[in-house]
Amino acid sequence: MNNTKDSRQLREMMRLLERKLGILEESEVACCGITMAQCHALVEVGRAKNISLNELAELLNLKNSTMSRTVNNLVNSELVKRDIDPQDRRYITISLTESGTKIYEGIEESMNLYYKRVYDWIPEDKRGQVMESLQILLEAISKNECCK
Amino acid sequence: MNNTKDSRQLREMMRLLERKLGILEESEVACCGITMAQCHALVEVGRAKNISLNELAELLNLKNSTMSRTVNNLVNSELVKRDIDPQDRRYITISLTESGTKIYEGIEESMNLYYKRVYDWIPEDKRGQVMESLQILLEAISKNECCK
DNA sequence: GAAATATATTTGCATATTACAACTGTTGTG
DNA sequence: CACAACAGTTGTAATATGCAAATATATTTC
């Protein structure tokens, strides 16, 4: 059947997509003077406004020990701050500093501009289809999570 | 206009896609006892059959110094081998060993199976559209590479 | 109310990745 | 033959990664 051929083609396109997105992100973080891992953390903190270390680690699929050290480095660079939760001192609350917010907003802006350019490039009569297709693909991937 | 809203939605879906693919790959490499970077290298070597360090570094968007060390670790684990090109001794030829080939084929097989499951999950009348949409998206991304 | 248990985070340790700069060896050119 | 260019390696240093053990705090049990 043709499904094998098509599914391999699907895989190949996904590989290329991932490759290109990786390159995009690397050029993005090069401008900020932080590392990729720090950038991922900073963006998630920016989006959440306040977040625990545990939650951040979960979002980024990292161990708490790794997360703790990445956050340490961001604190040292004065991009984020750590506060102890007054209600439960086991918890820390991570949030962006003013300079961290600037970097975060810069990343958001340039990524939004980039995706606007990508979107605008898509032929108008194909846009709905592309958006729907991505939705379907995300759902297909979600429903087939690694149950090896 | 609605383009801003749509392009942000596009970005959000791309983020989710990348997140899920990252998780997929991490579960994949966990089974092989190698690291993510080594896995990427191994797969590219497997696909190329023979490749120079320079070409491999370019494919993976890494510096030659980094590539050299990752390849060293794969050589130490006896998964790849390095041979000096007899015609031009500046070059090395990197290829998989027998055990490297086994791991490579295992990865290929499980990834192919995974994408077949994803593909089969997509409603039959939507498959053509999904494939075409990915093609369009890849082209849009290619045409908008980071010219900040 | 004290002890045991659970939870959140940190730290020691070890390995790998990453890139810059400098280096070594080889090939091509004038 | 000397110099330039190319491919790859190595020293150095910073960062990332996770396991195991540790610390501090909160909750549960008796």
Side-chain angles (χ1 to χ4, degrees):
Chain A
M1 201 61 72
N2 228 19
N3 279 25
T4 300
K5 184 187 167 205
D6 280 348
S7 66
R8 287 182 185 227
Q9 196 184 345
L10 173 62
R11 182 188 169 199
E12 195 54 29
M13 291 198 284
M14 298 303 285
R15 270 173 52 96
L16 284 172
L17 199 55
E18 212 176 352
R19 176 78 47 87
K20 288 178 189 297
L21 292 179
I23 292 169
L24 167 69
E25 288 188 1
E26 277 177 43
S27 71
E28 192 58 44
V29 305
C31 306
C32 307
I34 61 180
T35 67
M36 185 78 74
Q38 291 171 1
C39 184
H40 287 155
L42 193 127
V43 165
E44 292 304 334
V45 173
R47 290 169 72 100
K49 300 209 189 318
N50 288 293
I51 191 167
S52 70
L53 189 124
N54 201 353
E55 289 173 296
L56 184 60
E58 218 168 307
L59 263 178
L60 297 176
N61 204 36
L62 294 170
K63 293 303 183 188
N64 290 2
S65 50
T66 304
M67 200 73 265
S68 185
R69 270 181 269 256
T70 300
V71 167
N72 275 352
N73 288 334
L74 287 169
V75 168
N76 288 343
S77 304
E78 298 181 346
L79 299 178
V80 308
K81 59 190 169 183
R82 251 199 191 87
D83 295 296
I84 295 174
D85 187 316
Q87 287 173 338
D88 189 330
R89 293 201 307 281
R90 292 175 294 182
Y91 283 83
I92 61 168
T93 291
I94 304 163
S95 56
L96 295 187
T97 61
E98 206 165 309
S99 22
T101 299
K102 280 190 173 59
I103 292 188
Y104 169 68
E105 284 172 354
I107 292 170
E108 286 295 290
E109 184 183 350
S110 74
M111 290 304 265
N112 285 338
L113 278 171
Y114 174 75
Y115 277 100
K116 192 176 183 321
R117 288 201 335 257
V118 166
Y119 186 83
D120 287 347
W121 193 93
I122 296 169
E124 206 158 341
D125 62 310
K126 297 286 185 183
R127 286 174 188 168
Q129 167 188 316
V130 167
M131 302 299 278
E132 189 196 0
S133 296
L134 277 178
Q135 205 71 52
I136 293 170
L137 194 53
L138 276 166
E139 199 174 343
I141 289 172
S142 293
K143 291 304 199 310
N144 287 277
E145 244 138 39
C146 34
C147 36
K148 281 181 49 63
Chain B
M1 203 60 73
N2 226 20
N3 280 25
T4 299
K5 184 188 166 201
D6 280 348
S7 66
R8 286 179 186 229
Q9 196 184 344
L10 174 63
R11 182 187 169 198
E12 194 55 29
M13 291 198 283
M14 298 304 285
R15 268 172 55 92
L16 283 172
L17 200 55
E18 213 177 350
R19 176 77 49 86
K20 287 178 190 295
L21 292 180
I23 292 171
L24 167 70
E25 287 189 1
E26 277 177 42
S27 70
E28 192 59 44
V29 304
C31 306
C32 309
I34 60 180
T35 67
M36 186 78 75
Q38 290 170 2
C39 184
H40 287 156
L42 193 126
V43 165
E44 293 303 335
V45 173
R47 291 168 74 99
K49 301 212 188 318
N50 289 292
I51 193 167
S52 71
L53 189 126
N54 203 354
E55 289 174 297
L56 185 60
E58 217 168 307
L59 263 178
L60 297 176
N61 202 37
L62 295 171
K63 295 301 185 191
N64 289 2
S65 51
T66 304
M67 201 72 265
S68 185
R69 271 184 262 255
T70 300
V71 168
N72 277 352
N73 288 335
L74 288 169
V75 168
N76 288 343
S77 305
E78 298 180 344
L79 298 179
V80 307
K81 60 190 170 188
R82 254 199 189 89
D83 296 297
I84 296 173
D85 187 315
Q87 287 173 338
D88 190 328
R89 293 202 305 282
R90 291 176 293 184
Y91 284 83
I92 61 168
T93 291
I94 304 163
S95 55
L96 295 185
T97 60
E98 206 166 309
S99 22
T101 299
K102 280 188 172 59
I103 292 188
Y104 168 67
E105 284 172 354
I107 292 170
E108 285 296 289
E109 184 183 351
S110 75
M111 290 305 265
N112 284 339
L113 278 170
Y114 174 77
Y115 278 99
K116 191 175 184 320
R117 288 201 335 259
V118 166
Y119 185 84
D120 286 348
W121 195 93
I122 297 169
E124 206 158 341
D125 62 309
K126 296 287 186 184
R127 286 174 187 167
Q129 167 188 315
V130 167
M131 303 300 277
E132 189 196 0
S133 296
L134 277 178
Q135 205 72 49
I136 293 170
L137 194 53
L138 276 167
E139 198 173 344
I141 290 172
S142 294
K143 290 304 199 306
N144 287 280
E145 246 137 38
C146 35
C147 35
K148 281 179 53 63

